[in-house]
Amino acid sequence: MAIAAACGLIASAAFAQTPDLQPGERLEKLQFPAATMELKGWTKFGNSEVYTLPVKAGQHVKISFSTKSKFAFLSIFDLAAPDDEAIFGTDEDGLTYSVTVKQNTTWLFRPYYSKVSPRRGLGAPYSILVEPQVAPPPGAPAPAEGLAPSPLFPP
């Protein structure tokens, strides 16, 4: 019984790391880069590349998304998370995601073209930069993610 439970746990962990692809998507598996890596592509209603990137606890990384279209976006999902919510999305969170990874996991990068665009048939080119960052010195306070410095209390 214990062996069956252990096998089920291992299978569910492996399943959590495998993304469900939408029709027309093609998966490209990446490795964490030693230097800046640029991914370029074209997205049109889910007919695009999606990328998996394994990350390890303690790694510092900055993800930047750029496009000329105001209807193209990037969502990043944690495949180990139990829900289907994005951990980052350029439609709400801006074009840059800087983070220190808290646990070993695999991320899914899903560029997409919004279906609410007035010219639906065009799609859009995009570029994603994956930049490993230098670890902050020991004892340094962690930067507040997504917060601007207060004008009342300058650094």
Side-chain angles (χ1 to χ4, degrees):
M1 184 106 156
I3 293 172
C7 290
L9 182 60
I10 291 169
S12 66
F15 180 73
Q17 298 289 318
T18 304
D20 290 328
L21 298 181
Q22 297 174 1
E25 288 183 332
R26 295 167 309 282
L27 178 64
E28 183 177 335
K29 296 180 179 184
L30 307 172
Q31 295 300 317
F32 196 82
T36 299
M37 172 174 53
E38 183 175 21
L39 309 168
K40 289 186 172 196
W42 181 273
T43 183
K44 177 181 174 182
F45 296 130
N47 292 318
S48 67
E49 296 283 335
V50 294
Y51 310 90
T52 57
L53 178 70
V55 293
K56 294 182 180 176
Q59 288 178 320
H60 307 279
V61 64
K62 177 180 170 184
I63 311 294
S64 302
F65 180 75
S66 64
T67 182
K68 292 181 180 181
S69 172
K70 62 182 179 178
F71 299 108
F73 303 99
L74 172 69
S75 292
I76 301 175
F77 298 89
D78 182 345
L79 295 179
D83 57 11
D84 289 335
E85 294 293 317
I87 59 172
F88 175 80
T90 59
D91 58 337
E92 295 179 0
D93 302 319
L95 297 175
T96 304
Y97 180 52
S98 292
V99 67
T100 299
V101 179
K102 295 188 182 356
Q103 64 186 14
N104 295 352
T105 189
T106 300
W107 289 343
L108 174 71
F109 297 164
R110 179 170 275 146
Y112 66 95
Y113 190 71
S114 174
K115 292 183 179 179
V116 298
S117 68
R119 302 179 84 188
R120 295 186 206 180
L122 295 177
Y126 63 84
S127 174
I128 302 169
L129 287 179
V130 180
E131 301 175 81
Q133 303 288 296
V134 176
E145 293 179 19
L147 298 177
S150 168
L152 297 176
F153 304 102

